[in-house]
Amino acid sequence: MKQAAHSIDQAVNSAERHLAAIAVSRGIGIGRIAFLDGEKRQFFRIDLEPSQIDAEISRLRQAVAESIRQLSELAANRDPDKHRSISDIFGVHLLIIEESSFIEKIETVIQDIAVNAEWAIKTVSNRYLKQQGSVPGDHFREKYLDIEDVADRLLTSLNGSRPAVHLTEPDAVIVVHELRPSAIMELAKSKPAAVITERGGWTSHASILAREFALPMVTGIHDLEQVLLQRDLVIVDGINGQVIVNPNHETIASFRAVIADNGLAVFLPEGSNKGTLTRDGTEIVIRANIDLPDAYNMAEKLGARGIGLYRSESLITLPGVIPTEDEQFAAYRKIAGIAGDAGVRIRTFDIGLDLAGGNRSTERNPSLGLRAIRLSLSDSAHFRTQIRAILRAAASHKIDIVLPMITGVAEIVRSKDIIKEERELLVNAGISVGDPGIGAMIEVPSAVFTVREIAGQADFLCLGTNDLVQYLLAVDRDNDAVAEWYQTLHPAVIRAIGDVLAACKDAGITVSVCGEMAGSPFYVPLLLGLGARELSVHVNAVRQIRHLVSGITIQKTIDIVDKIRTLETADHIENALREYYLQHWSGLFPTGLLDSKHR
Ligand code: PEP
Ligand code: MG
């Protein structure tokens, strides 16, 4: 494949352009654009040398042969009970591959545009879908799904079970409509310079992961293919929220100076092996939210005490491919082994039908649909498998279980019954098990209103502010178009957080704030003033948050809460916080943080 044809320092001919964006992961990245595409599988556009074209066409032909083999097998399994029989569907897919000009057109694109097979498949299937869009009715929808399915099968055959995304070029700036969390975990290994997406918000999982990997990221740039070109040189400014296309030399130099200035994140703070105390002596427990187990080693060096949130769905790298009990057991033992005595809180799968392998398109509102604990309780086979794996791993390690998207007491009671049943079955079979604590995520309004009852059933609670803001304010956390309405400082959010913290104090159980709010210095004094004593933050925030906490007093955080108590809008609260910080603690915040917007 073609290597980087131009270095970043090479002269730039076109005029510099600035595009406004929303910053979702702080930092600056300078590099050349690499387009990534695909919904279920994400892949890059790769420009080929003329000498590579024939090999790419035979790669495609092998994938076609494999797809035909699979489809013939599937088409032979006729199921007489089904309305539109399975064999009919796969028969149609076979026809698309064998008798239409679909494959021929894909080969032409590889030949004429000199791009990889994945990109060519996407180009041709998009063209088909556009043409079919002019035919109205259900018939169109079925055809649409057929073409998409065939394209997806070809893409899978091209890559086998290997992940489809891997970068070869250094300093790539990944451009994609929406980034799948599994793709970013794969990409982070080759250390791209930055990410630009069209869709997504500050608390989208891809943004959360970008922060965990210290990867600058911006979102909210529309018509990506029109405003950016493959291999354009860009600066991604994840501090001020902008992309600079074809920057001139002075601009590059000034941003490089900012990078040099901010490259302090890896230095260990003094006393990193001690607990974190405020200046007036209150201990604040700082844990880490971890997706890749090895990241905990760094978090621990920086002073984190245990893993406050392990999103177990990070084990699902392909839709519908749920790891087996033994695979999960090994993964949980590994992460718990790394966390050691400080322990890990494993959240059970917080997934929807898309990742579970069902048909998400039947759901109009996936965020309100069959997801998280609802999916676990309605398809309890997967839940039981996961619970068994956790119970077995807990035999020798400190592990707690966290249940996601709890809406009331009934779901915890049912989950606890299942956990008890599985535990008994394992014990009766002579298999060693542990006795994990059971906690609930508080992240939907009904859980806030019934938090005292929930606290009566749980060993601890985790306050998920990302979803709490989404569900309390009815604002999609993944939709940049409504980013203005995603107001972490809305008075309703602050009141809800205060109520949950107070209820846990009364019930005598611990609660950790584990949403992104806990990892952002702007919100931390407010959280402490409301009563938070445990924060679980992404690894790159550990150092900053500990530094901030050890520079402030609880007394002053209580003053802050008093000052904002009567304010009626997020804007007013934001201004009051900024004013207070500038007056009392300006030196404790990272450069530029108090200048940017934090609603
Ligand atoms: C949250 O909702 O705040 C949370 C921590 O979980 P997630 O971001 O995975 O939904
Ligand atoms: Mg959540």
Side-chain angles (χ1 to χ4, degrees), residues 464-513:
T465 54
N466 305 336
D467 276 318
L468 185 62
V469 176
Q470 157 163 274
Y471 292 121
L472 202 54
L473 304 184
V475 57
D476 182 349
R477 63 191 263 193
D478 292 325
N479 182 349
D480 58 283
V482 289
E484 275 282 296
W485 283 268
Y486 190 93
Q487 296 176 353
T488 306
L489 294 175
H490 191 292
V493 174
I494 295 174
R495 240 173 264 175
I497 292 173
D499 287 354
V500 170
L501 296 171
C504 289
K505 191 171 177 204
D506 293 349
I509 62 169
T510 60
V511 52
S512 84
V513 183

Side-chain angles (χ1 to χ4, degrees), residues 53-70:
I53 289 176
D54 285 349
E56 194 63 5
I57 289 181
S58 39
R59 196 174 148 251
L60 172 73
R61 287 184 184 163
Q62 274 171 26
V64 170
E66 170 58 18
S67 301
I68 290 175
R69 192 194 61 71
Q70 293 169 3

Side-chain angles (χ1 to χ4, degrees), residues 26-70:
R26 273 176 77 78
I28 308 286
I30 306 179
R32 292 197 178 270
I33 298 285
F35 271 98
L36 186 67
D37 203 350
E39 291 285 329
K40 290 189 184 161
R41 293 182 151 272
Q42 296 195 301
F43 46 83
F44 283 102
R45 171 185 169 133
I46 300 171
D47 297 312
L48 305 178
E49 302 290 354
S51 62
Q52 295 172 311
I53 289 176
D54 285 349
E56 194 63 5
I57 289 181
S58 39
R59 196 174 148 251
L60 172 73
R61 287 184 184 163
Q62 274 171 26
V64 170
E66 170 58 18
S67 301
I68 290 175
R69 192 194 61 71
Q70 293 169 3

Side-chain angles (χ1 to χ4, degrees), residues 136-320:
D138 285 355
H139 178 68
F140 156 65
R141 177 144 187 79
E142 266 184 25
K143 272 266 173 62
Y144 174 98
L145 292 177
D146 286 334
I147 293 277
E148 281 226 302
D149 262 17
V150 171
D152 202 53
R153 182 174 299 281
L154 285 171
L155 291 169
T156 306
S157 302
L158 270 173
N159 288 284
S161 56
R162 282 177 296 131
V165 246
H166 27 245
L167 268 179
T168 47
E169 294 195 5
D171 293 322
V173 170
I174 297 154
V175 176
V176 58
H177 290 276
E178 188 166 15
L179 193 56
R180 289 177 55 83
S182 59
I184 199 167
M185 288 181 68
E186 211 30 63
L187 285 168
K189 293 178 196 156
S190 42
K191 304 209 182 321
V195 179
I196 301 173
T197 68
E198 179 165 294
R199 289 190 292 268
W202 182 59
T203 58
S204 293
H205 278 161
S207 313
I208 292 174
L209 285 168
R211 289 194 286 276
E212 182 173 331
F213 298 137
L215 189 56
M217 174 165 160
V218 298
T219 183
I221 298 214
H222 296 275
D223 302 321
L224 288 168
E225 285 89 354
Q226 268 86 59
V227 294
L228 298 169
L229 291 176
Q230 177 86 352
R231 306 210 43 74
D232 266 353
L233 178 63
V234 292
I235 297 174
V236 175
D237 175 357
I239 295 175
N240 301 302
Q242 59 172 337
V243 174
I244 304 171
V245 189
N246 298 320
N248 61 42
H249 289 300
E250 293 77 60
T251 311
I252 294 175
S254 67
F255 275 91
R256 280 201 170 134
V258 180
I259 296 175
D261 218 33
N262 278 278
L264 302 169
V266 289
F267 294 138
L268 300 184
E270 269 177 48
S272 53
N273 55 351
K274 300 208 185 91
T276 310
L277 298 182
T278 60
R279 279 183 59 200
D280 47 359
T282 300
E283 170 148 34
I284 306 298
V285 178
I286 312 280
R287 301 183 204 276
N289 294 346
I290 294 288
D291 292 278
L292 290 178
D294 292 338
Y296 183 67
N297 292 326
M298 174 55 84
E300 191 185 24
K301 283 197 188 107
L302 293 167
R305 290 289 165 266
I307 299 175
L309 177 65
Y310 173 61
R311 295 177 165 98
S312 64
E313 60 274 14
S314 62
L315 296 174
I316 306 174
T317 50
L318 283 175

